[in-house]
Amino acid sequence: MKDKPLNEMLKVESVSILMRLLRDFGRNTLPLLSRKVPFIQKQFVAATIVSLREIVNEDFHVIVEPRNQVERLLARKDTDIHMYENYSLYFNRIAVLLNLQEPNMHGEARLLDPMGNIKKDMGLISSEEYHYTNDIKFLERMKYQFYQSCGRNTECIICIFSHHVPCTLKTHQCARLIDEFSKRTNEFLIISYEEVFYDTDEDEAWNILSHNSNIFCLHPFYFCPPKKSDKNIETYLLPWDEEEEPVCRRISRRLIRGLSNKRYRTEKKKRKSFCRHSEVLEFHVHEEI
């Protein structure tokens, strides 16, 4: 697998399905997290570990059972959430992480650098604050579950969806941290996002990540994939309600319906016009006779 760049082994359509599902899963956990944290955050990082085969076959059942758990927890409307731990929710091979306030850590760092080793080497934290950055080792947990499911010899791909593009902020440098993590571990990663934080340079972040052959960067543009892929997405979204239907597909359907109605109205007008014209001709013919 390491012989080729990741973007040569994967189809954009397949990756876009996975990352949209991951994005939607993260969004749907936010009401649960809001029951446990004192403030609402827009920023979240949703991460999972999958195999190349799962992506190629578009087999994303890794999300199905955690999604069902979220549905059940949302319906119960209580705060007894055993998956919650320190501004995070953990489900087997999936974790949803919020930024930590104390110590100040972004979700990407919590996932890839919980001990602060990479940030320390990058000069982003000092030796004095190094011992304060011990966080839960989410990646170790997910890898354990991955190898239990897929076998120890199966190579894994770490998939990260961040609401905001991995930042270029001086004290965090999440884009650089992801790049450095990949170089140190030789791990494959897929990265995507949907918005840009006002203090982040999106072009710089994209440039850092896209120049690493082990990182597949998916632009938000692809969250409205071709209609062929929408059928696959619909399969995995069920039984979520219709509100979770991809916006682009709803818009497309409305446009198609509007065009169809317009064509129908146009054809109806033509038929009426033709009938009236025929009646006038017939009247004139009778008069001449």
Side-chain angles (χ1 to χ4, degrees), residues 16 80 91 107 116 154 160 165 176 203 212 216:
S16 67
D80 181 22
F91 306 82
T154 306
I160 300 174
V165 64
R176 280 183 55 209
D203 292 337
N212 187 324
F216 187 112

Short mmCIF file of all heavy atoms in Angstrom, two decimals, residues 16 80 91 107 116 154 160 165 176 203 212 216:
data_model
loop_
_atom_site.label_atom_id
_atom_site.label_comp_id
_atom_site.label_asym_id
_atom_site.label_seq_id
_atom_site.Cartn_x
_atom_site.Cartn_y
_atom_site.Cartn_z
N SER A 16 -15.75 10.84 -0.44
CA SER A 16 -16.74 11.87 -0.11
C SER A 16 -17.93 11.28 0.65
O SER A 16 -18.49 11.91 1.54
CB SER A 16 -17.21 12.60 -1.37
OG SER A 16 -17.94 11.74 -2.22
N ASP A 80 -26.94 10.72 31.36
CA ASP A 80 -26.15 9.54 31.69
C ASP A 80 -25.58 8.94 30.41
O ASP A 80 -26.12 8.00 29.84
CB ASP A 80 -27.04 8.51 32.42
CG ASP A 80 -26.25 7.28 32.82
OD1 ASP A 80 -25.01 7.38 32.92
OD2 ASP A 80 -26.86 6.21 33.01
N PHE A 91 -17.00 5.82 20.52
CA PHE A 91 -17.82 4.69 20.11
C PHE A 91 -16.95 3.72 19.30
O PHE A 91 -16.72 3.94 18.12
CB PHE A 91 -18.97 5.14 19.20
CG PHE A 91 -19.84 6.23 19.73
CD1 PHE A 91 -19.45 7.55 19.64
CD2 PHE A 91 -21.08 5.95 20.31
CE1 PHE A 91 -20.26 8.57 20.11
CE2 PHE A 91 -21.88 6.96 20.78
CZ PHE A 91 -21.47 8.27 20.69
N GLY A 107 -8.88 19.55 18.77
CA GLY A 107 -9.24 18.15 18.60
C GLY A 107 -8.21 17.34 17.84
O GLY A 107 -7.97 16.17 18.15
N GLY A 116 1.55 15.37 23.80
CA GLY A 116 2.21 16.63 23.51
C GLY A 116 3.61 16.50 22.96
O GLY A 116 4.34 17.50 22.85
N THR A 154 -3.88 -5.93 8.67
CA THR A 154 -4.59 -4.99 7.79
C THR A 154 -4.10 -3.57 8.06
O THR A 154 -4.05 -3.13 9.21
CB THR A 154 -6.11 -5.04 8.03
OG1 THR A 154 -6.55 -6.38 7.91
CG2 THR A 154 -6.84 -4.16 7.03
N ILE A 160 -10.18 11.90 9.40
CA ILE A 160 -10.48 13.02 10.31
C ILE A 160 -11.34 14.04 9.59
O ILE A 160 -10.95 14.58 8.56
CB ILE A 160 -9.18 13.70 10.79
CG1 ILE A 160 -8.28 12.71 11.53
CG2 ILE A 160 -9.49 14.91 11.67
CD1 ILE A 160 -6.91 13.26 11.90
N VAL A 165 -11.23 23.88 8.98
CA VAL A 165 -10.01 23.36 8.38
C VAL A 165 -8.91 23.34 9.45
O VAL A 165 -8.83 24.26 10.28
CB VAL A 165 -9.58 24.22 7.17
CG1 VAL A 165 -9.23 25.63 7.59
CG2 VAL A 165 -8.41 23.57 6.43
N ARG A 176 0.18 21.69 10.41
CA ARG A 176 1.57 21.23 10.51
C ARG A 176 1.68 20.00 11.39
O ARG A 176 2.46 19.09 11.12
CB ARG A 176 2.45 22.35 11.08
CG ARG A 176 2.87 23.42 10.07
CD ARG A 176 3.80 24.44 10.71
NE ARG A 176 4.95 23.80 11.33
CZ ARG A 176 5.61 24.29 12.39
NH1 ARG A 176 5.19 25.40 12.98
NH2 ARG A 176 6.66 23.67 12.88
N ASP A 203 -5.37 28.59 2.51
CA ASP A 203 -4.42 28.23 1.45
C ASP A 203 -3.16 27.62 2.04
O ASP A 203 -2.63 26.63 1.51
CB ASP A 203 -4.06 29.46 0.61
CG ASP A 203 -5.23 29.95 -0.22
OD1 ASP A 203 -6.15 29.14 -0.48
OD2 ASP A 203 -5.25 31.14 -0.59
N ASN A 212 1.76 16.22 1.20
CA ASN A 212 2.16 14.97 1.83
C ASN A 212 1.45 13.83 1.09
O ASN A 212 0.22 13.77 1.07
CB ASN A 212 1.77 15.00 3.30
CG ASN A 212 2.29 13.80 4.07
OD1 ASN A 212 2.35 12.69 3.56
ND2 ASN A 212 2.64 14.02 5.33
N PHE A 216 -4.70 12.30 2.10
CA PHE A 216 -5.71 12.57 1.08
C PHE A 216 -6.56 13.72 1.60
O PHE A 216 -7.26 13.59 2.61
CB PHE A 216 -6.57 11.33 0.86
CG PHE A 216 -7.55 11.43 -0.28
CD1 PHE A 216 -7.39 10.64 -1.41
CD2 PHE A 216 -8.64 12.28 -0.22
CE1 PHE A 216 -8.31 10.71 -2.47
CE2 PHE A 216 -9.55 12.36 -1.26
CZ PHE A 216 -9.38 11.58 -2.39
#
